[in-house]
Amino acid sequence: LDRTAAALAEDGGGTLARRGSAIELDAVLLESVGAIRKDVATATDLEQLKHEVSMRVEAIGTALDSFREREERLLAVSEAAARTLSERVEVLRAQTGAAEALLVEQRRLALTDPLTQLPNREALNGQLSREEERYRRYGRPLSLAVCDIDRFKAVNDRYGHATGDAVLREVAACLRESLRETDFVARFGGEEFVILLPETAPEQAAGALDTVRMAVAARRVECRGAAPLSVTVSFGVACFGEGDDAERVFIRADAALYQAKGAGRDRVIVFGEDAASPG
């Protein structure tokens, strides 16, 4: 910033100097032309007139040479100041870009669960608010699912928290890979995940999530000192209806999840429907 201010001040000073130089040249030219006119008007000797005019023309030439030299010096100063300003602008542009990238990355990290690399609860709240607003505006189907890893506490107790973390990462990866790009999945907390399925009626959501359920069951998690581990998940699904808000829909989906757990786990239950066998 100090270099930029100095360059601006230097360039501004050059402008004032050029203005003063031009005024000075004008004064010399006016004086010389006036003197030539006077000499011509009062001359009585041709040789003397030629001498006087020659002196005046030489003075004009000297003034022009001096003016040109000053202009060249000032132009060089202005060009240097312009280069300094341009370089500083590029530096500031690069610094601004780096700062913006850092802010974007910090925001991404603030909205990401560090273990599973899924969006976290704060990110879910923002997405849920946007989807809810879209639903209210257009009335298009919107389903919400709550997913829970079955018997996860037993996994931690038997194999340790490192294996539990590996299970969470594997399930998160399976959810991310098995769902559509338009769906949104976030880690809600512990072994629980929440999924938003826009443009999806409950029965469609149930079918899609049943495919995810089977993909999770087929997955294997490597365990140190033990055979590869498989886990299952249960889903509770609810859809937005007239006059609904996100909290009410979540409560219904959570109730459906509780029903799925009570019916034997490893299944998808839509709120208001009877429990069904997995698959």
Side-chain angles (χ1 to χ4, degrees):
L1 289 176
D2 290 341
R3 289 175 59 197
T4 304
L8 286 170
E10 191 171 11
D11 187 59
T15 300
L16 292 175
R18 285 196 297 274
R19 188 177 300 160
S21 181
I23 292 173
E24 182 179 341
L25 177 63
D26 284 346
V28 171
L29 291 175
L30 287 173
E31 180 183 357
S32 297
V33 170
I36 291 173
R37 286 174 177 171
K38 182 178 178 181
D39 290 341
V40 169
T42 60
T44 57
D45 183 271
L46 182 59
E47 290 299 322
Q48 181 65 25
L49 176 61
K50 288 170 62 178
H51 176 71
E52 293 293 336
V53 170
S54 177
M55 290 180 57
R56 302 297 184 188
V57 170
E58 185 176 346
I60 291 174
T62 300
L64 288 172
D65 289 341
S66 177
F67 177 78
R68 185 181 66 254
E69 290 173 1
R70 285 197 299 270
E71 281 295 298
E72 288 174 351
R73 287 197 302 270
L74 292 171
L75 180 60
V77 170
S78 295
E79 288 176 347
R83 284 194 299 271
T84 299
L85 285 172
S86 179
E87 290 168 1
R88 187 56 182 161
V89 166
E90 289 303 314
V91 170
L92 290 173
R93 184 178 287 116
Q95 290 174 343
T96 300
E100 289 175 350
L102 179 61
L103 288 173
V104 169
E105 178 62 12
Q106 288 177 337
R107 181 58 178 166
R108 185 191 71 79
L109 292 174
L111 297 175
T112 302
D113 173 59
L115 177 62
T116 64
Q117 293 303 302
L118 288 178
N120 60 17
R121 192 165 180 171
E122 182 181 351
L124 170 65
N125 289 337
Q127 186 70 18
L128 190 53
S129 177
R130 289 187 289 272
E131 292 293 351
E132 183 179 353
E133 176 62 27
R134 190 176 294 113
Y135 167 77
R136 289 178 177 172
R137 180 175 297 179
Y138 302 110
R140 303 295 299 165
L142 174 60
S143 293
L144 181 151
V146 182
C147 170
D148 187 84
I149 301 174
D150 297 327
R151 298 185 175 88
F152 183 72
K153 183 178 184 301
V155 172
N156 275 332
D157 292 343
R158 182 175 179 180
Y159 299 100
H161 288 282
T163 298
D165 287 348
V167 167
L168 284 167
R169 285 192 291 266
E170 282 295 322
V171 171
C174 196
L175 290 172
R176 186 169 48 238
E177 294 164 8
S178 303
L179 291 164
R180 304 169 302 180
E181 289 186 5
T182 53
D183 299 328
F184 182 88
V185 56
R187 186 183 180 192
F188 190 70
E191 67 271 28
E192 200 165 65
F193 304 87
V194 172
I195 304 163
L196 298 176
L197 300 101
E199 300 288 332
T200 309
E203 61 277 7
Q204 295 172 314
L209 295 173
D210 203 52
T211 300
V212 177
R213 177 191 65 78
M214 290 186 288
V216 171
R219 205 98 165 192
R220 296 294 181 268
V221 181
E222 295 297 325
C223 298
R224 183 177 298 177
L229 174 67
S230 63
V231 296
T232 61
V233 292
S234 299
F235 292 91
V237 184
C239 67
F240 279 74
E242 186 175 353
D244 260 336
D245 58 26
E247 183 178 0
R248 291 177 183 174
V249 178
F250 181 87
I251 290 172
R252 293 203 300 272
D254 201 45
L257 172 65
Y258 184 81
Q259 186 181 2
K261 292 285 190 179
R265 300 179 175 84
D266 189 22
R267 64 196 64 226
V268 181
I269 297 295
V270 176
F271 180 80
E273 295 184 3
D274 294 334
S277 298

